[in-house]
Amino acid sequence: MLRTVSPPMTARWAALGAVAGPVLFELSWLVLGFVSPGYTLFGHRFADYSPISQPVSGLGLGVTAPYMNAAFVVTGLMLIAGVAGVYLTVPAPARRTCAALLGLTGVGQIICGVYDLEQMMPHTLGFLLAIGTPVVAFLVAGLSFRRLPRWRRFGTWLLAGSPLTLILLVAFFLTFRQTAAGAEQGTAGLVQRLGIVEVHAWFVALGWPAFRRAGRGRSGRQDAGPASRTNCSTVAGLTSG
């Protein structure tokens, strides 16, 4: 008796976490950036919040802190669930390694939500995990997806995401000014947002096709099920006859 294993429904819906998480995060910093009255960091008061010069993590301080930090944590959990769901529905080579590397972005976002900018060392670690590890993760995952016929094109594009992420990460550190006065000038906030959107866009591009293809695969198996049982019964009848 032959049996075809289809992805569990929970895994298919979990893959949407790779879509919902980034959408939630981008909406959070967009909305909170407009309503933030400023914040205090290491005794320096930022009277106005500028998304051009100041990092997203600045919203994790002041009156917007509960909402932005919650968005960090929830988005991280969604990304981890989304990556797990993708690799439970897509039989990619080395999927445990790829899932672990991609999942570090979610872990990094959780750390950024737990430790704000005033806890600089763990917060920086979280940022590097969230934005830095995709430089390696996209490369490894891209090579893996290229070995699957239906995912080969996506794998090729994902390979390009590795150097692009590295360029944006380096650009952020080049434009970031560590002094309080410097944080009110320059374009570090804008560059960081470009990097965040770029990284999150790859997760969306990964989660949505996995969700859709798993649904089509399940539907196809369900539709073929009765016909397959009928064929098996016919063959059994001919054999017994």
Side-chain angles (χ1 to χ4, degrees):
M1 178 181 178
L2 297 176
R3 181 177 297 175
T4 303
V5 179
S6 61
M9 286 295 293
T10 52
R12 181 196 173 208
W13 285 101
L16 277 182
V19 178
V23 171
L24 168 68
F25 193 76
E26 265 62 68
L27 285 176
S28 296
W29 60 254
L30 274 171
V31 173
L32 294 176
F34 277 112
V35 302
S36 174
Y39 59 94
T40 300
L41 175 63
F42 299 134
H44 182 85
R45 178 64 187 174
F46 294 88
D48 297 308
Y49 181 82
S50 170
I52 303 298
S53 61
Q54 296 171 32
V56 171
S57 299
L59 297 170
L61 298 169
V63 296
T64 57
Y67 310 103
M68 192 67 243
N69 292 330
F72 269 114
V73 174
V74 173
T75 298
L77 293 173
M78 284 185 173
L79 287 177
I80 293 171
V83 169
V86 167
Y87 280 99
L88 285 173
T89 59
V90 181
R95 57 183 178 177
R96 290 185 180 180
T97 300
C98 295
L101 287 172
L102 290 170
L104 287 176
T105 292
V107 173
Q109 293 219 211
I110 293 173
I111 294 174
C112 286
V114 174
Y115 301 98
D116 60 33
L117 271 178
E118 290 191 319
Q119 299 163 300
M120 186 62 71
M121 290 299 291
H123 188 86
T124 302
L125 172 63
F127 172 74
L128 290 175
L129 284 175
I131 305 298
T133 54
V135 175
V136 176
F138 290 165
L139 175 63
V140 175
L143 291 173
S144 173
F145 279 118
R146 276 184 52 80
R147 296 171 63 182
L148 298 175
R150 297 179 65 183
W151 287 84
R152 184 171 291 119
R153 179 177 297 178
F154 173 76
T156 301
W157 281 105
L158 189 56
L159 291 177
S162 177
L164 179 57
T165 303
L166 178 60
I167 290 171
L168 290 171
L169 180 62
V170 171
F172 169 73
F173 283 113
L174 289 176
T175 55
F176 180 72
R177 301 184 181 184
Q178 297 184 357
T179 63
E184 295 181 310
Q185 304 172 5
T187 58
L190 177 61
V191 175
Q192 185 196 46
R193 283 164 173 78
L194 290 175
I196 292 172
V197 171
E198 184 264 338
V199 167
H200 281 171
W202 290 113
F203 281 89
V204 173
L206 174 63
W208 181 245
F211 171 78
R212 293 190 61 188
R213 291 176 181 179
R216 287 200 297 266
R218 175 175 289 273
S219 175
R221 292 185 185 98
Q222 290 175 343
D223 292 343
S228 299
R229 287 193 292 271
T230 301
N231 290 340
C232 289
S233 299
T234 302
V235 171
L238 291 174
T239 304
S240 59

